Amino acid sequence: YQFTPRNLTHMAFGLNRYEISSAEQIFEVASYEACRIFRDRLVSTEQYSKFDQIIMSLMKTGLKSSASPFGLFYSTVSGVGTDSKSVPKLTRLSQPDFTTVISQGLLAYEREFIELKLYILDEVLMFISQLDRILSAPGGCALIAGRSGIGRRICINLVSHMLRLEFYTPFIGRDYSTRDFKKELKVVMENAGIQGKQILLFVEDHHLIKGEFLELLNSLIASGEVPGLFTPEEIEQLFSSSGFSDEIRRENYGKSLYLSLIHISEPTRQAEISYAVFCLKKK
C-alpha cells in the first residue's frame, strides 16, 4: 500500500463534513474517517485485524478515549435537499434508524423504477454508508473491486437515487471507438459543468475496451478535465447557448471545461476492477 501525507490531508478536510455534538464524538469521528481513508483500502482479514488493533490502541493510549469507529453509520441521505448547493453534513444514525432510512429509499426507488430485491444486511448498510460519504461530496469518486453478483450496482443505483444524482453510464455498441467515448464524456461534462446537474458517471470494466478510455478517465480524476475534449469554438458555443455573461465568456475563452473533481479514494485491491463511479458536479 502507498499511503502519503495527502491521505492525512483528505482525512483532516473530511472531518469538516461531520455533525459533531460533543467532545467525545470528535475522537469517534476522527477514528471513523481514518477507517474510511485507510481501512477501506485494505484487502485481507488479517490486515483488517491488524489495522483495528492499531486504531484502538491509538484511541486508548494516545487519545485516552474509549470511542470505537466500528459498527457506526454516518449518512447524508436523510437531509439532502434538491436545491442544496452546500456539501451535506454526515450525521450519525443508529442501525435501526439507518435501516429505516434505507428501507424508505428502497421503497421509493422501487415504486418509481423496478424492484431491486435488495436484502438490507449489515454489510449492505455499511457499503451504502460508504458510498453515501463519497458520492455526496463534490466530485466524489470510487473504485469498487470484487466479484460480480454481490449487489454493488444495486446499491449504487439506490444511493444515487437517494442523493438525487442523475445516473449515466456509457452505451457500448458495435464498432464503439474512442471518439464515441469522448462524445459521451462531453454529454456528462456539459450537463454537470454548464447545466449544473449532479451527474453520477458509472463505468464498468466491459466499458474499457480500449486503453485510451482509461487514460481519459484518469485525466478526468486527476485534474478535473480531459485535455482537448472541447475546442475553443465549442466552449464559446456552450457559453453562448447557456446565457453566460460576456465577462465570464471572455475569462474562460480558450480554456477547457473544468469541473470540480476530487479523487476521494484510490483503492489498491488485488482483484479485477469491476466498477468505477464518478460523481460530477459543477465547480
Side-chain angles (χ1 to χ4, degrees):
Y1 303 103
Q2 294 181 349
F3 295 120
T4 68
R6 183 177 63 173
N7 299 118
L8 296 176
T9 301
H10 286 166
M11 177 180 167
F13 279 106
L15 297 179
N16 294 324
R17 297 193 57 206
Y18 292 84
E19 288 281 0
I20 300 176
S21 57
S22 65
E24 179 67 18
Q25 193 180 2
I26 295 177
F27 302 131
E28 176 186 285
V29 166
S31 59
Y32 178 84
E33 183 69 9
C35 287
R36 302 288 71 81
I37 296 293
F38 299 104
R39 190 179 190 272
D40 289 351
R41 300 171 66 181
L42 305 180
V43 175
S44 67
T45 303
E46 179 182 354
Q47 291 166 347
Y48 283 143
S49 178
K50 187 174 182 179
F51 178 87
D52 295 346
Q53 293 176 5
I54 292 174
I55 197 72
M56 291 306 299
S57 175
L58 289 174
M59 291 291 291
K60 292 179 180 179
T61 60
L63 300 177
K64 308 298 181 181
S65 173
S66 59
S68 171
F70 309 115
L72 303 177
F73 300 100
Y74 281 87
S75 175
T76 68
V77 292
S78 60
V80 176
T82 55
D83 298 324
S84 176
K85 296 183 179 180
S86 60
V87 180
K89 290 289 187 178
L90 289 160
T91 304
R92 181 180 178 181
L93 297 174
S94 64
Q95 182 168 342
D97 290 341
F98 191 49
T99 301
T100 300
V101 170
I102 299 305
S103 298
Q104 292 173 348
L106 180 61
L107 180 61
Y109 182 93
E110 292 179 337
R111 285 176 176 174
E112 186 172 351
F113 300 103
I114 60 173
E115 184 179 357
L116 292 179
K117 297 181 180 180
L118 178 67
Y119 297 97
I120 305 179
L121 308 175
D122 291 347
E123 293 81 2
V124 172
L125 289 175
M126 179 54 67
F127 182 53
I128 289 177
S129 177
Q130 292 168 341
L131 284 175
D132 177 16
R133 169 187 163 273
I134 294 172
L135 298 180
S136 61
C141 60
L143 186 153
I144 306 169
R147 297 182 178 87
S148 61
I150 60 176
R152 287 164 300 172
R153 176 159 184 167
I154 291 177
C155 291
I156 292 168
N157 280 328
L158 176 59
V159 172
S160 66
H161 181 260
M162 297 182 71
L163 293 176
R164 299 177 177 88
L165 304 175
E166 184 175 323
F167 187 92
Y168 188 92
T169 187
F171 178 76
I172 306 296
R174 185 177 180 180
D175 299 326
Y176 193 83
S177 64
T178 303
R179 182 178 180 181
D180 297 321
F181 188 67
K182 286 184 176 180
K183 286 182 179 179
E184 300 212 59
L185 286 181
K186 282 185 178 182
V187 171
V188 296
M189 293 182 74
E190 287 176 19
N191 286 331
I194 300 298
Q195 304 299 328
K197 296 180 180 179
Q198 297 185 13
I199 308 293
L200 187 146
L201 175 59
F202 182 80
V203 182
E204 298 183 70
D205 55 349
H206 66 83
H207 291 139
L208 304 175
I209 58 178
K210 294 187 177 182
E212 293 89 342
F213 295 3
L214 190 56
E215 293 176 4
L216 293 171
L217 292 176
N218 284 338
S219 178
L220 187 63
I221 295 172
S223 62
E225 66 163 330
V226 178
L229 185 64
F230 291 91
T231 65
E233 291 76 15
E234 288 175 323
I235 295 293
E236 175 69 17
Q237 183 179 1
L238 288 172
F239 284 162
S240 300
S241 61
S242 302
F244 282 94
S245 66
D246 292 338
E247 181 181 351
I248 295 178
R249 290 164 58 188
R250 286 194 299 269
E251 180 182 349
N252 292 275
Y253 183 79
K255 296 181 180 179
S256 182
L257 185 62
Y258 284 83
L259 297 177
S260 177
L261 281 176
I262 302 175
H263 198 183
I264 299 299
S265 59
E266 302 171 3
T268 54
R269 296 188 181 279
Q270 300 171 350
E272 182 180 0
I273 296 174
S274 294
Y275 305 118
V277 185
F278 307 93
C279 180
L280 308 183
K281 298 183 181 181
K282 184 177 180 182
K283 186 175 180 179

